[in-house]
Amino acid sequence: MIKRFDKMLIDLPRPSYADPNAASAVQELLGGEFGEMSTLNNYMFQSFNFREKKKFKPFYDLVSSITAEEFGHVQLVANTVNLMLEGATFPADPDATPLRTGVDKRNTDHFIANAQTSRPQDAMGRPWNGTYVFNSGNLVLDLLHNFFLECGARTHKMRVYEMTDNPVAREMIGYLLVRGGVHVVAYAKALKVITGVDMTKMLPVPDLENKRFDTARKFEAQGIHRRLYTWSDTDYRGIAHIWKGTHPEDGQPLEVIEGMPQGAPVPDFSGLPQQFAPGISQEDFLEIGKKLQREAGL
Amino acid sequence: MIKRFDKMLIDLPRPSYADPNAASAVQELLGGEFGEMSTLNNYMFQSFNFREKKKFKPFYDLVSSITAEEFGHVQLVANTVNLMLEGATFPADPDATPLRTGVDKRNTDHFIANAQTSRPQDAMGRPWNGTYVFNSGNLVLDLLHNFFLECGARTHKMRVYEMTDNPVAREMIGYLLVRGGVHVVAYAKALKVITGVDMTKMLPVPDLENKRFDTARKFEAQGIHRRLYTWSDTDYRGIAHIWKGTHPEDGQPLEVIEGMPQGAPVPDFSGLPQQFAPGISQEDFLEIGKKLQREAGL
Amino acid sequence: MIKRFDKMLIDLPRPSYADPNAASAVQELLGGEFGEMSTLNNYMFQSFNFREKKKFKPFYDLVSSITAEEFGHVQLVANTVNLMLEGATFPADPDATPLRTGVDKRNTDHFIANAQTSRPQDAMGRPWNGTYVFNSGNLVLDLLHNFFLECGARTHKMRVYEMTDNPVAREMIGYLLVRGGVHVVAYAKALKVITGVDMTKMLPVPDLENKRFDTARKFEAQGIHRRLYTWSDTDYRGIAHIWKGTHPEDGQPLEVIEGMPQGAPVPDFSGLPQQFAPGISQEDFLEIGKKLQREAGL
Amino acid sequence: MIKRFDKMLIDLPRPSYADPNAASAVQELLGGEFGEMSTLNNYMFQSFNFREKKKFKPFYDLVSSITAEEFGHVQLVANTVNLMLEGATFPADPDATPLRTGVDKRNTDHFIANAQTSRPQDAMGRPWNGTYVFNSGNLVLDLLHNFFLECGARTHKMRVYEMTDNPVAREMIGYLLVRGGVHVVAYAKALKVITGVDMTKMLPVPDLENKRFDTARKFEAQGIHRRLYTWSDTDYRGIAHIWKGTHPEDGQPLEVIEGMPQGAPVPDFSGLPQQFAPGISQEDFLEIGKKLQREAGL
Amino acid sequence: MIKRFDKMLIDLPRPSYADPNAASAVQELLGGEFGEMSTLNNYMFQSFNFREKKKFKPFYDLVSSITAEEFGHVQLVANTVNLMLEGATFPADPDATPLRTGVDKRNTDHFIANAQTSRPQDAMGRPWNGTYVFNSGNLVLDLLHNFFLECGARTHKMRVYEMTDNPVAREMIGYLLVRGGVHVVAYAKALKVITGVDMTKMLPVPDLENKRFDTARKFEAQGIHRRLYTWSDTDYRGIAHIWKGTHPEDGQPLEVIEGMPQGAPVPDFSGLPQQFAPGISQEDFLEIGKKLQREAGL
Amino acid sequence: MIKRFDKMLIDLPRPSYADPNAASAVQELLGGEFGEMSTLNNYMFQSFNFREKKKFKPFYDLVSSITAEEFGHVQLVANTVNLMLEGATFPADPDATPLRTGVDKRNTDHFIANAQTSRPQDAMGRPWNGTYVFNSGNLVLDLLHNFFLECGARTHKMRVYEMTDNPVAREMIGYLLVRGGVHVVAYAKALKVITGVDMTKMLPVPDLENKRFDTARKFEAQGIHRRLYTWSDTDYRGIAHIWKGTHPEDGQPLEVIEGMPQGAPVPDFSGLPQQFAPGISQEDFLEIGKKLQREAGL
């Protein structure tokens, strides 16, 4: 079970221009095989299906709590897409062709289906699907998978960063490179406890440090790469048996934090009459307001 | 952002027999087009992508908070599948063919891929996919979709109930019929506020009351069909502008509850050596324990 | 454009027993790669997209008119599935598990999604999809494809016939073997006109005559294998330039018939309260009747 | 069963320029989840699978007859795509790269697979598939689905209209907005008869009238938004029990018309030697003509 | 480029009974995400796409040569499926329902589409597809993937072994467990050379040695687990830089062998007239033979 | 079983410019329904599953040996894609956006997933899948399919040739048109032996000779269109019973050649630091070299 909070992990800048093709590329990080939908659902199913939760509590706590963080990652990438699509069309009568931009862009779904917002699909428009979830039940194999998945996700993030200098995309990626890096190390440490093999020694994969990415540096400077959260008021403290010692890259002490980060406000998006979204006229809106008040007054 | 709690919505009975084909049917309620993965992801994306969150706060709060409940529904159905698969195989040497049951069952993934646990796919083994998410951005159309989706989900639950008298499946379905019924009414009421059309008058769809299902009755008796939760410590209270008045079926007062239900313990599943899940021997386990302690002692 | 008539190509027997797994196999002939959805949509798209309709009128008329026949084939197979699923469940309260049969059957969609009726998918539950349509625009290649498609469809029909002696399935297959055979010959003759190559000499593919199938014999005896219909009151008479001469197997004269066959009544299916289909109670039904009359009386 | 007529619903203008990317967007209205392939196949399967056809004849007649109209809609959108692709390439030797335009366009299938014609897929190249067909057998739920489907289809049409001012696309969309509007109202009225809930009061969804679209106005002026056809010489007259009273938007009387509209000629497309479509040389063509005559002379 | 030899890696026993459901399970090892089609195509594409082949020759040689072995693995599993389906039907007239067995079996494709032979799909009938190929171009990540893939493939093989005691299936799996084990070690050693991390220390994954599987023991006794082949007359000798030292499980010396194993004869399958496969009558066969001779005599 | 050789069928030119959108189009010839992955896998499965290999040895030898050639075709197209993507990005720090080209190109997988190399998918990014394999077991039908498949593949190659004058693409297509033409004739001849129908008389399909393509002419001049290889040192000589007589287009004698063509060197691709491919620094590389030497010295 979860509680939800109307917050987002970090503030994202409001863009000064629409960037639909870059938004289309960012979809890969949301709904691609190595996107956040995949990390969320892998860990969610692995935690539901975990065998011997008590006996292997630190490991159960690890995949359970990271699940919660991944919800926030999906949210962050989705909002990035949304912000990058702001301003791609203009309000006007249908006959003025206000969505004309969409016709030559890479992702027509953004214009025809979704009113310039994100979708659970990748950069080529292929829907995210359940075959992207791996859950063998074998703990070593599942952790090995997760380690690989996070390295793959890191690679894709690095490349999308290199594809666009859009400031919203880069802010998001800088942050997620740091947080993804935490998960890479966490799964490596979990594997070390069980197997004795220290996979942190092959990090980073690919072999380029986060600090080589402009927007990642400030998050590392804040120590965000050293923290693992329980994402709970009461549970998942067993991660402290895994997340301890020092960070393999800078040797600084690792830290478990109960609960979740403070977060930032969720962006709001203005209505787009040309997209009929939300599609309620000013007078209808006032009428709805009165109705809600009247009924509240009963 | 979310916080996670190591609880499940209700207690599920431990089954006294394995029921793999019924577990396969229950997969429809998890990863089918009208399963809980669909409700979770529809509302999650609709909330991320919502335009004019402030202006239409009650509606935003509605899809946002129900998202959180749906996480719990996915968890509940996944655990139902897991419990129904308990005991389907026996511990033995590979040469004794301990997974022999699997060869004639409807869902071989349960045996080959997942160590007798749930997967994001439907009763025919088709993976859940992102085309099941609808999010036009038009508020009336999205609410209409959600109303339809919940009616469809209710239909599938009713039919799976009729397909199996497995006690775990029925307990889960009884509860979800009641909670799904709440969501049907909530979306109908939201539509009424905006359009004036009272769709509660066509309820229930299909035309058979929840109380006709044995395991649903006790939950209705507890008033669970009258409550909508905010699923948050701090947010989403705007749902009270929509969830008010009386229930269309029994005329009892509706109730908004801050936070989430109390919940029940998450089931644990014993290790299955024949599935190599979690696949760690007793002595390795002891060794891991010592290692964790030693390192904790540093 | 089309006109529709409330008829079906032939009478199908009412079955005396439910046959869900055989119905599942018959789905291959409906929504499989070589099923009737494929023939319908291949010819439909080829006719819409045909280049030089006037210059190559006999060929355009051929794919256009056969399209119309294929609609009737889809209808016939769909109704076969429906009839074979009659009686698979029994009316009872949900707690009596009236759909219990479904849990061990091959196609749970028939029970959970469709109220014991047909779906556009194959015998393994894979949905029919648009990649099954071939339309290169090159006339020789498209005709060659159609010839191959019909031979493949014939093969699948023959094998499903051999899998089940269900009388509904066999009646349908017997008829469609004969009609499919007509299309094989028609495409072969079209190819001969253009290329000079006489592919009728390799028929039948597979090398077993229709008369070896009990339920096909009577349709051949009626001469149905010699007739090609225009499926129109006014158009597509150009097929007579292709469909002429004698049948390659029995040497009897070929015949073009304007319009369509006489047909038989469409089967009706009684309501299944346990499936909530159509899900309207007797009293609601009477009420609806009155309402319709009252409003008609205005 | 159907009869086919060599006509199209309306005349489409011959375009003066090729518009491949806009044609790609129009594919969404053909093979997308909310495209005409979906409406055609939903109603086709619902009519084949209808339970209690006699008892609920007006409803059966409704989905049956609209099926026939949807065939014409698929035809109209397919031809729109075809016309928009006219002139996108030029006749020349292969070494002159006559299809060069295709390499940078959004839909390479139009150039590699289909000789500049339509395909059963959406604007992102995803094939139409059978999961887009909903048919629960529950009459209220199926009608609710159809109402939702038509509203979704309307939304997509409105947005594609806003994406391109291509005159062929706009003529087609203007007409289909009006006809789709008829279907929205028809399903709303059907639901009202059964449930008493008047969903016409939430129309139009999205909240922008058809008359706001330039090419829709003339069709409304002709009263086309008030007419429902039986699409049959002999059947489906029961729709008159549903299609009666006045139109919810302009209060004008509704009208049932037996048969189908008059229609317009089907466009022909000239051969494209650079696409090998139909790929028959002038001399081969003459030879074929002689052959046909000779054989006719026998 | 490759040369092909009419041999198979090992002799498979002729089964004494048909075993269609077990054959269906074995399909997972052929066309599942972790089946041999996946290993073949992963390494094939990785070798085609390898950057810096000369600089990193041992690694290029490794994926290139294992590609060739995987062709043999696909062949071996395909033949296993074929042998397990022998005798599932009987020769008879169509009216005698000779394929009746197929109607209740898990994989109807084996009966309707493929004449009792293998297909590129998994145990649930989902087609193998290209998303199962991973090829990031980053050498560490690709090797890590391959290590994970082989461990996953091993897990699936172990479980299918436990599902059926079919002697053909077990002979094949015993052999492939040993050969797959070689590939696991090879990729671990390759990773060690580059990163210094010794992943052989976590082997075997899952933690059950091959010698615990009856049919694997004899292949280990032959030393097959210590050999890596170049699968070439002239190339790929660079694998010797990686495949050297001792085996991590039994400490015996590793061995590189030029060329390929000796192999065994390819099984032949008798014709199935009831499947029309190959579908040529005895007299047609004789006629073909004469024709071939006559023409050879020219 | 196969042996592999580090060669490619022909030399491909090094391109002087990057051509990502043309590379995307070429993907159709690799992973499209009519691409080389399809020919490879069709013949591979048909050869594994062949019934009566001895009785129908020439036909078995035909599909078996062509399988081997198709491996080389897949390799050739994959390398073409790789070469066309060379230079599409530039080495630079991530903040310099070195992959910026990718954001507006048709295939973002080439940039995000694959480090500018080929993938098993088509020109629209749809993954190759197992439904593209046809194998009915009926020899006539399978040969007819193969004949059709090769004609379809030829059509797609001709159109991609016409879409781009990229010299790498054209060299590859010129060669494959010739070799594909050989396979078309081979299957036609095989069909003639069995059925007596001479399908070579409808060739070429489409009706444009290979010599009309600039880069095909030189290969025809070398007589490559007259040769069929056994692709084996020891087997598949039975193809000589089919591949004999004269070529239907130029009347020159056909020739069976034992073994395979001489081939050309496989291209190497330089490392792309901006893609982290292979992602190993110069100093790490030297370190690896030393390690390999040291260990070799043991």
Side-chain angles (χ1 to χ4, degrees), chain A residues 54-285:
Chain A
K54 287 188 191 61
K55 221 164 166 180
F56 296 96
K57 187 170 188 305
F59 307 93
Y60 171 64
D61 284 5
L62 188 69
V63 293
S64 297
S65 58
I66 297 183
T67 302
E69 174 158 3
E70 300 296 356
F71 184 96
H73 291 188
V74 173
Q75 178 190 31
L76 192 64
V77 185
N79 274 280
T80 301
V81 170
N82 297 350
L83 287 165
M84 293 170 79
L85 291 167
E86 289 282 278
T89 61
F90 56 92
D93 275 353
D95 287 304
T97 325
L99 308 186
R100 64 178 63 169
T101 299
V103 97
D104 291 324
K105 295 305 174 195
R106 297 198 72 264
N107 191 320
T108 40
D109 290 330
H110 285 159
F111 296 88
I112 303 176
N114 263 54
Q116 294 164 229
T117 64
S118 69
R119 287 166 63 88
Q121 67 187 28
D122 68 18
M124 297 292 284
R126 293 166 300 220
W128 186 89
N129 74 75
T131 68
Y132 298 162
V133 171
F134 181 83
N135 185 195
S136 72
N138 181 276
L139 188 50
V140 171
L141 189 53
D142 286 352
L143 290 170
L144 182 65
H145 166 268
N146 296 351
F147 178 82
F148 162 70
L149 175 65
E150 292 281 355
C151 290
R154 187 173 186 268
T155 308
H156 284 206
K157 283 185 192 89
M158 289 162 73
R159 289 175 178 165
V160 173
Y161 187 103
E162 293 182 311
M163 282 169 78
T164 176
D165 59 4
N166 183 289
V168 195
R170 289 211 159 169
E171 187 74 7
M172 173 273 287
I173 295 175
Y175 177 76
L176 290 184
L177 279 176
V178 175
R179 293 307 305 164
V182 167
H183 299 167
V184 169
V185 174
Y187 287 122
K189 283 181 168 276
L191 277 167
K192 179 155 180 245
V193 172
I194 302 178
T195 69
V197 177
D198 186 359
M199 299 180 70
T200 63
K201 286 190 180 148
M202 62 170 73
L203 299 180
V205 177
D207 186 15
L208 193 77
E209 299 181 331
N210 285 339
K211 54 176 60 75
R212 298 287 296 279
F213 295 79
D214 192 51
T215 55
R217 269 193 295 278
K218 69 169 171 289
F219 295 114
E220 292 217 338
Q222 294 167 26
I224 283 174
H225 62 304
R226 296 184 292 104
R227 290 179 205 138
L228 199 64
Y229 300 86
T230 63
W231 296 93
S232 184
D233 294 341
T234 51
D235 302 303
Y236 311 125
R237 290 167 185 151
I239 58 174
H241 290 288
I242 292 166
W243 192 253
K244 66 189 175 186
T246 56
H247 194 282
E249 288 185 49
D250 65 7
Q252 292 191 48
L254 302 181
E255 212 180 334
V256 166
I257 295 179
E258 269 194 44
M260 66 181 191
Q262 189 176 347
V266 162
D268 200 356
F269 310 108
S270 55
L272 298 179
Q274 69 273 28
Q275 287 279 12
F276 327 111
I280 292 168
S281 65
Q282 187 62 17
E283 57 189 18
D284 281 348
F285 166 68

Side-chain angles (χ1 to χ4, degrees), chain C residues 1-9 30 37 40-41 44-45 47-56 58-60 64 67-68 71 74-75 78-79 82 86 113-120 127-131 133 135-139 192-194 196 231-236 241 244 260-261 263 266-272 276-280 282 285 288 291-292 295-296, chain D residues 1-9 30 37 40-41 44-45 47-56 58-60 64 67-68 71 74-75 78-79 82 86 113-120 127-131 133 135-139 192-194 196 231-236 241 244 260-261 263 266-272 276-280 282 285 288 291-292 295-296:
Chain C
M1 290 166 67
I2 61 170
K3 281 186 181 167
R4 187 169 179 180
F5 297 86
D6 204 37
K7 287 182 171 176
M8 196 161 67
L9 283 159
L30 179 58
M37 283 289 286
L40 170 60
N41 283 287
M44 184 176 80
F45 273 92
S47 65
F48 293 160
N49 297 342
F50 204 98
R51 292 192 173 281
E52 304 282 15
K53 295 183 180 72
K54 286 187 192 61
K55 222 164 165 179
F56 296 97
F59 307 93
Y60 170 64
S64 297
T67 301
F71 184 97
V74 173
Q75 178 189 31
N79 273 281
N82 296 351
E86 289 282 278
N114 264 52
Q116 293 164 230
T117 63
S118 69
R119 286 167 63 89
W128 186 90
N129 75 75
T131 68
V133 171
N135 185 196
S136 72
N138 181 277
L139 188 51
K192 180 157 178 243
V193 172
I194 303 179
W231 297 93
S232 185
D233 294 342
T234 51
D235 302 303
Y236 312 126
H241 291 288
K244 65 188 176 190
M260 65 182 193
V266 162
D268 200 356
F269 312 108
S270 55
L272 299 180
F276 327 112
I280 292 168
Q282 186 63 15
F285 166 69
I288 292 169
K291 230 187 302 179
L292 288 171
E295 296 184 20
Chain D
M1 289 165 67
I2 60 170
K3 281 186 182 168
R4 188 169 180 182
F5 298 86
D6 203 37
K7 287 181 172 179
M8 197 163 67
L9 284 160
L30 178 59
M37 282 288 287
L40 169 60
N41 283 287
M44 183 176 81
F45 273 92
S47 65
F48 292 158
N49 296 342
F50 205 98
R51 292 193 172 281
E52 303 283 13
K53 295 182 180 73
K54 287 187 190 62
K55 220 164 166 179
F56 297 97
F59 307 94
Y60 170 65
S64 297
T67 301
F71 184 97
V74 173
Q75 179 190 30
N79 274 281
N82 297 350
E86 289 282 279
N114 264 54
Q116 295 165 228
T117 64
S118 68
R119 286 168 63 90
W128 186 89
N129 74 75
T131 68
V133 171
N135 185 195
S136 73
N138 181 276
L139 188 51
K192 181 156 180 243
V193 171
I194 303 179
W231 296 93
S232 185
D233 293 342
T234 51
D235 302 302
Y236 311 126
H241 291 288
K244 66 190 177 189
M260 65 181 192
V266 162
D268 200 356
F269 311 108
S270 54
L272 300 179
F276 327 111
I280 292 169
Q282 187 63 17
F285 167 68
I288 292 169
K291 228 187 302 180
L292 289 171
E295 296 184 21

Side-chain angles (χ1 to χ4, degrees), chain F residues 180-297:
Chain F
V182 167
H183 299 167
V184 168
V185 174
Y187 288 122
K189 284 182 167 277
L191 277 166
K192 179 154 180 245
V193 172
I194 303 179
T195 70
V197 177
D198 186 359
M199 298 180 71
T200 63
K201 288 196 178 141
M202 61 171 72
L203 298 180
V205 175
D207 186 15
L208 193 76
E209 299 181 332
N210 285 338
K211 55 177 60 76
R212 298 289 295 278
F213 295 79
D214 191 52
T215 56
R217 267 192 298 276
K218 69 169 170 287
F219 296 114
E220 293 216 338
Q222 295 166 24
I224 284 175
H225 63 302
R226 296 182 291 108
R227 290 179 206 139
L228 199 63
Y229 299 86
T230 63
W231 296 93
S232 185
D233 294 342
T234 51
D235 302 304
Y236 312 127
R237 291 166 185 153
I239 58 174
H241 290 290
I242 293 166
W243 192 254
K244 66 189 175 188
T246 57
H247 195 283
E249 288 186 51
D250 65 6
Q252 293 189 48
L254 301 180
E255 213 180 333
V256 166
I257 295 179
E258 268 194 47
M260 65 182 192
Q262 187 176 347
V266 162
D268 199 356
F269 311 108
S270 54
L272 300 179
Q274 68 273 28
Q275 287 279 11
F276 328 111
I280 292 169
S281 65
Q282 186 64 15
E283 56 188 20
D284 281 349
F285 167 68
L286 292 173
E287 185 55 39
I288 292 169
K290 278 185 219 151
K291 230 186 303 179
L292 289 171
Q293 280 185 317
R294 261 199 313 272
E295 296 184 21

Side-chain angles (χ1 to χ4, degrees), chain B residues 53-289:
Chain B
K53 296 182 178 71
K54 287 187 190 62
K55 220 164 166 180
F56 297 97
K57 188 170 187 304
F59 306 93
Y60 170 65
D61 285 4
L62 188 70
V63 293
S64 297
S65 58
I66 296 183
T67 302
E69 174 158 3
E70 299 296 356
F71 184 97
H73 291 189
V74 173
Q75 179 189 30
L76 193 64
V77 185
N79 274 280
T80 301
V81 170
N82 296 350
L83 287 165
M84 294 170 79
L85 291 167
E86 289 282 280
T89 61
F90 56 93
D93 276 352
D95 286 305
T97 325
L99 307 187
R100 64 180 61 169
T101 299
V103 97
D104 292 324
K105 295 305 174 193
R106 296 198 72 263
N107 190 320
T108 41
D109 290 329
H110 285 158
F111 296 88
I112 303 176
N114 264 53
Q116 294 163 230
T117 64
S118 68
R119 287 168 63 90
Q121 67 186 28
D122 67 19
M124 297 293 284
R126 293 165 301 220
W128 186 89
N129 74 76
T131 68
Y132 297 163
V133 171
F134 181 84
N135 185 195
S136 73
N138 182 277
L139 188 50
V140 171
L141 188 54
D142 286 352
L143 290 170
L144 182 65
H145 166 268
N146 296 351
F147 178 81
F148 162 70
L149 175 65
E150 292 282 355
C151 290
R154 186 173 187 268
T155 308
H156 284 206
K157 284 186 192 91
M158 289 162 74
R159 288 174 179 167
V160 173
Y161 187 103
E162 294 181 310
M163 281 170 78
T164 176
D165 59 4
N166 183 290
V168 195
R170 288 213 159 167
E171 188 74 7
M172 172 272 287
I173 295 175
Y175 177 76
L176 289 185
L177 280 176
V178 174
R179 292 308 305 163
V182 167
H183 298 167
V184 169
V185 173
Y187 288 121
K189 283 180 167 276
L191 276 167
K192 179 154 180 244
V193 172
I194 303 179
T195 69
V197 176
D198 186 359
M199 298 180 71
T200 62
K201 287 192 179 144
M202 62 170 73
L203 299 180
V205 175
D207 186 15
L208 192 76
E209 298 181 332
N210 285 338
K211 57 175 59 75
R212 298 289 295 279
F213 295 79
D214 192 50
T215 56
R217 268 193 297 277
K218 69 169 171 288
F219 295 113
E220 292 217 339
Q222 295 166 26
I224 283 174
H225 63 303
R226 296 183 292 105
R227 289 178 206 141
L228 199 64
Y229 300 85
T230 63
W231 296 93
S232 186
D233 294 342
T234 51
D235 302 302
Y236 311 126
R237 291 167 186 153
I239 58 174
H241 291 289
I242 291 166
W243 192 254
K244 65 189 175 186
T246 56
H247 194 282
E249 288 185 51
D250 66 7
Q252 292 190 47
L254 302 181
E255 213 180 333
V256 166
I257 295 178
E258 269 193 45
M260 66 180 192
Q262 188 175 345
V266 161
D268 200 356
F269 311 108
S270 54
L272 300 180
Q274 70 273 27
Q275 287 279 11
F276 327 111
I280 292 169
S281 66
Q282 187 62 17
E283 57 189 19
D284 281 349
F285 167 68
L286 292 173
E287 186 54 39
I288 292 169

